[in-house]
Amino acid sequence: MTAQPDHGARRGIPPMRTLAELREALSAWGFPGDRAAFEEELEAADLDDLRQVREVTQAYRHRVLLRYDSQAMAALARSTDDVTAEVRRKLTETEAGR
């Protein structure tokens, strides 16, 4: 059996295997307001419902991972006009192909 790679160690991604590590990552690398929103959602969750707790923690873990994905950050930085123009272009191409 071979050891599995520690994906948290690559590219400087902070470890987020525990709630304490996730809280630290959200404080340092999350989007503004993420840490407070995480705490509110976790407090509102039924801690006996592990599915619900997992969904909350995964959502906020992915928000930290977004900060490490240059393509994701570029997509988030696009203007509404740019996205609207792309959607219109794709709709026009689709209609022309019919």
Side-chain angles (χ1 to χ4, degrees):
M1 180 185 264
T2 60
Q4 295 298 312
D6 182 4
H7 296 289
R10 67 183 163 89
R11 297 182 310 177
I13 296 173
M16 295 181 281
R17 292 179 297 269
T18 66
L19 288 176
E21 289 176 345
L22 179 55
R23 284 180 172 112
E24 187 175 320
L26 284 167
S27 294
W29 298 104
F31 293 95
D34 275 357
R35 172 69 190 267
F38 170 72
E39 296 297 346
E40 288 174 12
E41 286 189 44
L42 192 60
E43 186 176 321
D46 176 4
L47 296 181
D48 291 327
D49 183 352
L50 295 181
R51 179 193 53 78
Q52 187 179 16
V53 173
R54 184 185 73 234
E55 287 175 358
V56 170
T57 56
Q58 284 179 336
Y60 284 92
R61 184 178 184 278
H62 286 128
R63 292 182 67 80
V64 172
L65 293 174
L66 274 174
R67 297 296 293 258
Y68 285 92
D69 185 334
S70 59
Q71 291 179 340
M73 290 306 294
L76 288 173
R78 290 178 66 186
S79 71
T80 302
D81 291 340
D82 184 36
V83 174
T84 301
E86 180 181 349
V87 169
R88 284 189 179 134
R89 180 182 52 78
K90 287 182 179 184
L91 286 172
T92 301
E93 290 171 0
T94 301
E95 289 173 358
R98 288 183 182 178

